[in-house]
Amino acid sequence: MVDTTSLTRAVDHFADRLRAAPQSRLQRAAAAEALGLARELARRAQLLEDPSAEPREMPDAGMFAAADQITVAGHDLALVLQSEAEVEEAVRLVEEAQKRAGV
């Protein structure tokens, strides 16, 4: 079994920072960056679960739902990752998105 603790911690940290961010920061770019990350994490999880199916895109539920969306997508992905390399790549995606979001 692969240890995905680093991924869930990174996702939870980003989500906490989003929840604490002012609305103006969310409107500028943070929420859009988080939605993009959530969509990518969800896409990766779906492809690992069923490589033959076309991944469904996570809907835009609004800027105040962005933290919850990355949390759900990140934890879902953590459940299906199969190698340490996949975990490291997912953590890198989260950390880069958080930097771009500025939170």
Side-chain angles (χ1 to χ4, degrees):
M1 182 162 191
V2 177
D3 182 6
T4 58
T5 305
S6 59
L7 175 57
T8 56
R9 283 185 184 156
V11 166
D12 291 346
H13 177 73
F14 187 12
D16 288 345
R17 299 292 298 164
L18 286 168
R19 289 183 185 103
Q23 183 175 346
S24 60
R25 171 82 37 105
L26 294 174
Q27 288 172 320
R28 279 196 301 267
E33 189 63 48
L35 176 60
L37 173 65
R39 285 177 170 167
E40 178 58 21
L41 297 177
R43 184 188 72 78
R44 288 174 183 232
Q46 290 175 60
L47 287 173
L48 285 169
E49 289 178 319
D50 187 359
S52 64
E54 182 69 28
R56 297 168 311 281
E57 184 174 79
M58 182 175 282
D60 183 347
M63 71 179 153
F64 297 114
D68 294 332
Q69 288 182 295
I70 64 166
T71 300
V72 168
H75 285 255
D76 283 352
L77 179 60
L79 291 173
V80 297
L81 291 177
Q82 301 168 0
S83 72
E84 292 298 323
E86 289 175 338
V87 174
E88 291 171 10
E89 172 68 12
V91 169
R92 185 186 61 75
L93 288 174
V94 173
E95 290 172 347
E96 289 174 357
Q98 184 173 348
K99 286 178 188 173
R100 288 190 301 269
V103 294

